[in-house]
Amino acid sequence: MKTWASVSGYADGWPFIGFMALLPFLICGITPALRRLRLEYVVAVEGLVRYRPEEAWNPTMKTGKIEVAAETIHLINPVRLALPFLVTSADDAHDVITEEVRLRYRYLDLRCQQMNDNLRLRHKVSKVIRQYLEDVHGFVEIETPILSKSTPEGARDYLVPSRIQVSEVFSGTDFQIFMDTLQSGGVIKALVVPLGSNKYSNTSLKKGDIYKEAIKSGAKGVPFLKVLENGGLEGIPALTSTLENGKREDLLNQCSAKPGDLIVFAVGQPSAVNKTLGRLRLYFACDLGVIDNSTHSILWVTDFPMFEWNESELRLEPLHHPFTAPNPNDLSDLSTARALAYDMVYNGIEIGGGSLRIYKRDIQEKVLQTIGITPDQAEEKFGYLLEALDFGAPPHGGIAYGLDRLVMLLAGESSIRDVIAFPKTTTAQCSLTKTPSRVDPKQLRELSYSIEKFTD
C-alpha cells in the first residue's frame, strides 16, 4: 500500500490513515526518517493496512478503525521556510490570523479544513442548482461570451487590449531553398500519396487546394514529384535535374514510392515541416476517403520535448509552459529534456492536454534559467510561486479538455463555430457585436490608459 500524505494529516480534504504503528523489525530503519519530518512536509508511506485494536478506534475520523503499519517513508518535498501559521490549528485561530495573511498565503489557507469544507459546499450548491434547472425544468446551459463590447451604464467594464497577428501569405519559390534549408540546419521530408499522380493535377499542387492547405500551415509552397509508369519522375526541372546518378532510385526506395504515386515535400525547421506534412496528410486522407468516420479512435501523445528553439529571439522557450515538470531521467541536461506532458487525441484531433507540474523550487529555478530568465527576474516575476514551492508543495498535475472540439467531433461537424452559440471568427472578432471596437476616451482616462501614435 502506498499513499501520499502531508504531515498535517490532510490532503485534498481527505484525512489520511494514521501511520503510528511500526513493524517491530523495521523500527530502527524508519525512526530516523520520522525524526526529520516536520509539519506540512510531503511524504510517501508504504506499508500494510490493517485494523486497529478496538480500544484504539477513533470515531472522529473516517479512517479511525484502520492504520498503516509503515514499512518505508519517503520524503517528497520538505518545508524550507517558517510557516506563517499552523495549518492544523488555523481553523481555531481565524480570529487571530488576519485576512491579509490568509490571502497572502492562500495555498496554505486552502489546506485548512474550514476552507476545504467551504469549497466543497460551493461545488455542491452549484451542482444542485444545475441539476434542478436541467432535470426538473429542462434548462439548457449555453455559454455566453465573457469578452464583449463596451456598453454604457451597467456593470463596470474591464478593458482588454486586442492584439491580432496577421499571417503573411508567401508565393512559391525555386528549389535553391533545398540547399539553403540544409545549410541552415533544417530538414527535408517527403509524404507519398499512393496513386496520387493522376488524381491531383499540377495546378492543384501549384496554386490549387493542396497549395492552399500548405500555405495555411505556414509553408511557402508544395515542392512535388510524380512517379511515372516507366519509373521516371515528372516535376519542376530545377528539382528533377538534381536526381541523377542513382539519386532518383535512392529517393524512390526511401519513400517506397511506386509508379503512379505522388511525392510532396516540406522543407525548413523540423517543427514547421511536421506541421505542414501533418496538415497535408489529413487533407489527402479525407479527400481519398481512407478515414473511417464511424470509428472512435483515441490515443495519448507523450514524451514531448521540454523546449523548442525560438529562431527570432535566439533562445529556448517552453514547448508547453515553464511550469511543466521535466522527466526525472533528463535533469542532467534540461535543454534536451523530455517533458512530463501529455495530449489526448480523438480521431486525429487534440481534445485535451496537460502536464505534471514542477513542485520543487530548485528545479523550477533551473527551468527558468534555461529559457533565459535570470534569478533576479525570476524573483520579480515568479517570486510568489517560488516561495509557495518552499512550503511543502505536493506532486500535482492536470489536464484541460477542449469541450468545443469534443462536441464538434461527436456532432460530426468540421468547425467548432457550429457548436458555439456566439463564436468568434478566426481573427478573434465577433460579427454580432462588431468587437473589438473603440471605447469612450473617458473609460481610458479612468483606467489611466493613453493611446499614442507611433511612426517609423
Side-chain angles (χ1 to χ4, degrees), residues 127-140:
K127 185 177 180 181
V128 168
I129 292 174
R130 279 188 164 87
Q131 286 180 333
Y132 174 75
L133 293 175
E134 294 171 7
D135 299 344
V136 178
H137 295 288
F139 274 57
V140 176

Side-chain angles (χ1 to χ4, degrees), residues 97-375:
I97 305 171
T98 65
E99 184 176 55
E100 181 181 0
V101 172
R102 292 178 55 205
L103 295 179
R104 168 70 176 78
Y105 300 97
R106 192 62 162 179
Y107 42 83
L108 292 178
D109 193 41
L110 289 175
R111 299 182 193 178
C112 301
Q113 191 60 35
Q114 178 180 339
M115 284 302 303
N116 214 283
D117 292 340
N118 291 346
L119 292 179
R120 289 180 180 277
L121 175 61
R122 179 190 176 99
H123 163 72
K124 291 178 181 178
V125 170
S126 298
K127 185 177 180 181
V128 168
I129 292 174
R130 279 188 164 87
Q131 286 180 333
Y132 174 75
L133 293 175
E134 294 171 7
D135 299 344
V136 178
H137 295 288
F139 274 57
V140 176
E141 183 170 344
I142 300 176
E143 297 87 352
T144 55
I146 296 175
L147 298 178
S148 188
K149 192 178 185 69
S150 176
T151 56
E153 308 304 332
R156 183 182 181 90
D157 285 337
Y158 288 83
L159 300 185
V160 179
S162 177
R163 296 179 291 270
I164 306 301
Q165 182 172 344
V166 181
S167 299
E168 296 185 20
V169 178
F170 296 91
S171 60
T173 183
D174 60 33
F175 286 91
Q176 180 68 31
I177 194 173
F178 273 46
M179 182 184 298
D180 296 340
T181 297
L182 294 175
Q183 289 178 347
S184 64
V187 296
I188 301 172
K189 290 188 177 183
L191 174 68
V192 178
V193 183
L195 302 179
S197 179
N198 294 326
K199 180 174 176 59
Y200 299 105
S201 66
N202 290 358
T203 301
S204 67
L205 289 160
K206 292 180 179 179
K207 291 295 180 182
D209 293 340
I210 299 173
Y211 171 82
K212 292 177 181 177
E213 285 295 316
I215 292 298
K216 291 177 182 178
S217 71
K220 299 178 181 179
V222 187
F224 68 92
L225 291 171
K226 291 184 175 182
V227 186
L228 304 178
E229 294 300 328
N230 61 5
L233 295 176
E234 176 187 291
I236 297 177
L239 178 57
T240 57
S241 62
T242 63
L243 296 172
E244 298 177 352
N245 301 324
K247 291 184 178 180
R248 181 188 66 182
E249 289 73 17
D250 290 343
L251 174 67
L252 296 178
N253 289 334
Q254 289 188 37
C255 296
S256 299
K258 299 178 176 58
D261 290 350
L262 169 68
I263 307 175
V264 295
F265 298 89
V267 300
Q269 294 303 312
S271 59
V273 169
N274 294 339
K275 182 179 179 180
T276 297
L277 290 184
R279 189 178 187 102
L280 290 177
R281 174 177 170 270
L282 289 176
Y283 172 83
F284 287 124
C286 293
D287 193 57
L288 295 172
V290 298
I291 296 178
D292 184 0
N293 292 314
S294 65
T295 62
H296 299 281
S297 300
I298 296 179
L299 62 85
W300 287 97
V301 181
T302 60
D303 286 336
F304 289 95
M306 276 284 291
F307 308 103
E308 59 183 347
W309 182 251
N310 186 318
E311 188 65 34
S312 62
E313 299 182 13
L314 299 178
R315 68 177 183 89
L316 290 172
E317 64 181 11
L319 184 65
H320 195 52
H321 58 66
F323 315 112
T324 300
N327 189 304
N329 297 323
D330 302 339
L331 294 178
S332 59
D333 183 8
L334 283 180
S335 64
T336 60
R338 294 163 295 168
L340 296 181
Y342 34 81
D343 281 354
M344 176 180 279
V345 178
Y346 170 45
N347 285 3
I349 296 179
E350 178 192 344
I351 61 170
S355 67
L356 298 184
R357 307 299 167 85
I358 298 170
Y359 62 92
K360 291 188 176 182
R361 178 171 183 146
D362 58 337
I363 296 178
Q364 184 65 77
E365 289 175 333
K366 290 178 182 177
V367 169
L368 294 176
Q369 290 176 12
T370 302
I371 60 177
I373 297 178
T374 66

